[in-house]
Amino acid sequence: MYVSRFHYLILEFERERMEPIDKEAMLTGQAEIWRYMFNFADSMALKCAVELRIADIIHSHGCPITLSQIASGINSSSADINCLARIIRLLVRKKIFSASPQTDGGQTLYGLTHSSRWLLHDAELSLAPMLLMENHPWLLAPWHRLSDCVKEGCIAFEKAHGQEIWDFASVNPEFNKVFNDGMKCTAKITTATIVSGYKDGFGCIGSLVDVGGGTGAAMAEIVKAYPHIKGINFDLPHVVATAQEYGGVCHVGGDMFKAIPEADAVFMKWIMHDWSDEDCVKILKNCRKAIPKETGKVIIVDVVLQPEGDGLFDNTGLVFDLLMIAHSSGGKERTEPEWKKLLNEGGFPRYNIIKIPAFLAILEAYPE
């Protein structure tokens, strides 16, 4: 045994002599692993800031304020200002909030940045509900099942909760609200960009059905910009049951795998990525039946993956691909070749990709 150990050490020494280890690179690698290991702390600090409405408190003053002023605005009679200071210190380093030390010895003033303005609850465009949704324990639990998905090919959400996500939402009103609120806020953000980026794409449409439209926020924005459009918001019955009324929009409950309401065109935002290729082909074939053969089209708003890209949202696209493993029932984000294959199999061989200044792109697809 000792001889074998001696020979092993000799071989290791020879290997290191021939291929010296880059100690600086190894140290950098170690630091990277530590950073990735605790990346969740950034999300939790952000969630804390949203729950405490820190951005709203600063915004209500109309200017940067002190830590004491932030603490006094929190809905608590016993706020721990030391704990608050440590959380804000990290968020300042991450450039979520700004910090301006006073030269006269006064307290540091904390202000909003372009990032924290997206955390305002009452802003017309806010990501606060989406952040709370994605960091809710219900939606974090499936992430711990990724290795099970690799080993067993299972559905992570079902593994964590005993039901697939849509079934879970149908019997859990609290989850249904958290989920719908998250979808509603992102619908407002992306739809505003879609309406401006798609320009005349909606102009020739008399009627439009939003398949998987949630509570109708996206369709409401489209109809507001194009009042001539008859809007149909189509989703599962338990989803549209909680939808508010919007002018020019009617809510229809149903199952997109069975039939889709007829219209001049079909609109689908962040729907296809939830489903497998096989399921997406079924949806597309039902879309094909719902629109006019000669003039109909499908407007898909989804991620077009650029795995090697260095664009503003390309890394987030890859993260969303893993999100589909965690939350969907076989869904995924797709590259353009994958979209082309899917659309062709679904009966839409002609398509255009319209890039917009957003996380998503518009795929305009036409039947044979």
Side-chain angles (χ1 to χ4, degrees):
M1 182 176 70
Y2 294 109
V3 172
S4 297
R5 177 64 177 167
F6 175 75
H7 286 161
Y8 171 77
L9 291 173
I10 291 295
L11 288 172
E12 281 294 293
F13 174 78
E14 288 296 322
R15 184 182 65 80
E16 292 183 14
R17 186 172 64 84
M18 297 297 292
E19 300 177 11
I21 293 175
D22 186 333
K23 292 184 179 179
E24 184 176 347
M26 286 296 291
L27 185 61
T28 300
Q30 181 192 152
E32 286 290 287
I33 295 301
W34 280 109
R35 180 168 66 86
Y36 292 134
M37 190 187 308
F38 290 106
N39 264 353
F40 71 89
D42 297 343
S43 295
M44 293 300 103
L46 269 178
K47 181 187 178 188
C48 172
V50 171
E51 290 175 333
L52 296 176
R53 293 179 173 259
I54 293 174
D56 299 273
I57 293 168
I58 297 172
H59 185 257
S60 68
H61 283 75
C63 62
I65 59 177
T66 66
L67 195 65
S68 299
Q69 288 174 302
I70 295 173
S72 65
I74 294 172
N75 184 25
S76 171
S77 60
S78 57
D80 187 329
I81 197 165
N82 178 58
C83 181
L84 176 65
R86 292 157 67 184
I87 291 167
I88 290 184
R89 179 171 60 186
L90 173 66
L91 294 175
V92 167
R93 183 175 178 85
K94 298 297 180 179
K95 296 182 171 52
I96 303 300
F97 297 108
S98 65
S100 304
Q102 301 304 290
T103 55
D104 60 0
Q107 293 186 56
T108 297
L109 298 178
Y110 297 93
L112 300 179
T113 65
H114 292 301
S115 297
S116 49
R117 290 186 182 280
W118 287 99
L119 303 180
L120 295 169
H121 284 78
D122 298 325
E124 179 65 22
L125 300 178
S126 173
L127 281 169
M130 183 67 166
L131 191 146
L132 292 176
M133 181 193 102
E134 290 296 347
N135 288 282
H136 194 287
W138 280 324
L139 287 170
L140 287 176
W143 284 98
H144 295 279
R145 301 293 188 158
L146 290 187
S147 57
D148 291 328
C149 292
V150 173
K151 292 187 290 186
E152 304 171 19
C154 60
I155 295 172
F157 194 94
E158 184 178 35
K159 195 79 172 177
H161 297 296
Q163 293 175 292
E164 293 187 34
I165 188 168
W166 313 116
D167 296 328
F168 188 75
S170 70
V171 296
N172 188 324
E174 185 181 352
F175 175 77
N176 191 48
K177 184 179 187 311
V178 168
F179 186 86
N180 287 337
D181 286 348
M183 294 297 99
K184 182 178 179 179
C185 83
T186 58
K188 284 187 176 181
I189 293 168
T190 56
T191 306
T193 307
I194 292 162
V195 168
S196 61
Y198 197 37
K199 296 181 180 178
D200 297 328
F202 292 113
C204 60
I205 298 172
S207 58
L208 180 68
V209 56
D210 186 354
V211 174
T215 54
M219 182 55 74
E221 294 299 313
I222 293 171
V223 170
K224 187 188 300 182
Y226 296 89
H228 71 277
I229 292 179
K230 174 188 174 184
I232 304 167
N233 179 57
F234 179 67
D235 212 311
L236 293 168
H238 75 269
V239 176
V240 297
T242 64
Q244 70 182 78
E245 293 300 316
Y246 296 104
V249 178
C250 68
H251 300 291
V252 178
D255 185 342
M256 63 187 173
F257 289 105
K258 294 179 180 178
I260 290 170
E262 292 184 358
D264 293 335
V266 171
F267 180 80
M268 290 189 288
K269 180 183 72 66
W270 259 356
I271 299 301
M272 304 290 275
H273 75 162
D274 285 326
W275 303 98
S276 67
D277 289 350
E278 182 182 359
D279 284 335
C280 284
V281 169
K282 292 177 183 176
I283 296 169
L284 286 169
K285 287 182 176 179
N286 282 338
C287 289
R288 180 67 190 82
K289 295 174 185 176
I291 60 175
K293 184 176 182 180
E294 302 298 330
T295 59
K297 63 180 175 180
V298 170
I299 305 160
I300 299 170
V301 182
D302 228 313
V303 171
V304 178
L305 274 184
Q306 300 280 350
E308 307 301 326
D310 58 359
L312 201 57
F313 296 106
D314 285 335
N315 186 68
T316 307
L318 293 174
V319 172
F320 257 76
D321 189 38
L322 297 192
L323 180 70
M324 292 303 97
I325 298 176
H327 293 168
S328 74
S329 304
K332 62 180 180 179
E333 305 297 355
R334 295 173 171 90
T335 61
E336 183 177 350
E338 289 173 322
W339 276 114
K340 181 178 180 180
K341 181 175 182 294
L342 196 66
L343 290 169
N344 189 63
E345 291 178 1
F348 293 87
R350 297 184 295 122
Y351 72 92
N352 299 315
I353 294 180
I354 302 167
K355 294 183 178 180
I356 55 177
F359 174 40
L360 310 173
I362 299 171
L363 292 99
E364 186 181 53
Y366 299 90
E368 297 172 323

